[in-house]
Every structure is written in C-alpha cells, then in structure tokens.
Amino acid sequence: MSGQAPDAAAIERMAREALSQIPEPFQSHLADVVLIVEEYADDEALDALGIEDPLDLTGLYHGRPIGEKSSFESGALPDRIHLYRRPILFEWSEGGETLERLVWHIVVHEVGHHFGLSDDDIHALEDSVE
C-alpha cells in the first residue's frame, strides 16, 4: 500500500483518535456526534458557505451548538462532523504538517463549532490538548 493516499477508513481512524484526545468537560458531550468521512462536500454545503472550490473545505459541523439546544427538541438528526478526504489530502500535500496533525486540527475546529466556541476559544482548546 506504500505510495497510495490514505483512504476514508484511515482518515476516520485518525479523526477518532483526535476525538479521543478532547479533554473534559467537552469529551462527555461528544458521544452522540456522528463522524462522517466523504470525498468532497456536496454542492449544497459549498453553496451555503459561498465556497466555489470544493478543495477549500476540509471539514464541516452540521447541527445545533450545545448551548442552543432545547429539551423540547425531538426527531432532529444527530449532530455530525463531516471530514472531506480529498481536500484534506490536498492541504496536507501543500503544507508541512503530518496528516495526523492536520486531521486533529480539523476535528478540534469542528468540535469547537459543536460547542458554539469562537475561533479564539477553539485555538485555546487546541493549545490545551497539544
């Protein structure tokens, strides 16, 4: 398998490892978040974000941040973190990070959105886990 790009299963393993490193009190709120690895974001997601090049989106959180949820909600889809394999591999090929580190960074960023964190808070979370 040497010389081949990591497949979706390999990216998912890296992402699950990254999720396992998220500290409490966040960790206990991640059990129901679904992790999905796809080749690219679909046109609907790209259009909603105003992104023209699918290589520009490596991950996306779908759901309502925890602080916005209500106990009266029922029947809602589970919160999801989508990782997009081809854009991740493209960014990896362009940068100096290991693939594991890049996937970790993307996962932490999307987890931050799950909690409704600002970008500054997301960076603080990343720093706390490094």
Side-chain angles (χ1 to χ4, degrees):
M1 180 149 153
S2 179
Q4 293 183 351
D7 62 11
I11 301 289
E12 182 176 344
R13 281 190 300 276
M14 291 175 211
R16 292 203 181 280
E17 175 62 25
L19 280 171
S20 75
Q21 295 175 26
I22 304 293
E24 289 295 348
F26 303 103
Q27 185 62 238
S28 59
H29 295 282
L30 295 173
D32 294 331
V33 175
V34 177
L35 181 63
I36 301 166
V37 179
E38 300 169 293
E39 290 300 297
Y40 293 100
D42 61 27
D43 289 338
E44 183 180 337
L46 293 170
D47 290 346
L49 296 168
I51 296 174
E52 292 185 24
D53 187 344
L55 289 174
D56 289 341
L57 186 61
T58 56
L60 184 63
Y61 169 73
H62 282 281
R64 293 187 64 194
I66 289 201
E68 296 177 15
K69 292 185 187 265
S70 165
S71 60
F72 297 108
E73 291 179 18
S74 67
L77 289 173
D79 295 334
R80 301 171 315 280
I81 292 175
H82 293 256
L83 299 178
Y84 303 114
R85 187 182 85 90
R86 298 260 179 155
I88 289 170
L89 294 176
F90 179 75
E91 186 172 325
W92 174 51
S93 73
E94 297 288 307
E97 290 186 290
T98 66
L99 183 56
E100 292 82 1
R101 179 75 178 146
L102 177 59
V103 169
W104 179 86
H105 173 76
I106 295 165
V107 167
V108 169
H109 188 88
E110 300 313 325
V111 164
H113 289 304
H114 174 63
F115 290 99
L117 299 179
S118 69
D119 283 340
D120 288 341
D121 290 338
I122 291 171
H123 292 298
L125 175 62
E126 288 176 357
D127 292 343
S128 75
V129 186
E130 288 187 297

